[in-house]
Amino acid sequence: MEKMTLNVKGMSCGHCINSIEGNVGELSGVTTVKVNLDSGTVSVVFNPNEVSIDKIKETIDDQGYDVR
């Protein structure tokens, strides 16, 4: 398992948390997703053999947020 923290712009409310945690959490290979609005970060624990970090970033981007 790998853990990565991504900087994400555009998150501001509970809906943002639910959207990101819900959609990324549904990806096969993702075990934990935690959004921190105060720091503007998303921490993800995932199995790189099942899902790539690029797929995780793409999923966040598809929700309308800017992944740095």
Side-chain angles (χ1 to χ4, degrees):
M1 297 304 243
E2 285 189 28
K3 180 176 181 180
M4 185 163 288
T5 300
L6 305 170
N7 292 313
V8 180
K9 302 291 182 194
M11 302 183 302
S12 62
C13 63
H15 172 74
C16 301
I17 294 170
N18 293 337
S19 178
I20 292 173
E21 289 183 354
N23 286 287
V24 173
E26 289 179 0
L27 294 173
S28 178
V30 173
T31 57
T32 307
V33 184
K34 183 67 179 158
V35 172
N36 185 321
L37 292 179
D38 292 333
S39 64
T41 59
V42 176
S43 297
V44 185
V45 178
F46 64 100
N47 181 341
N49 295 322
E50 290 185 51
V51 65
S52 69
I53 192 62
D54 288 337
K55 179 63 177 172
I56 294 168
K57 289 179 180 179
E58 178 184 314
T59 300
I60 295 170
D61 188 61
D62 286 350
Q63 298 303 307
Y65 305 102
D66 183 22
V67 182
R68 305 275 169 134

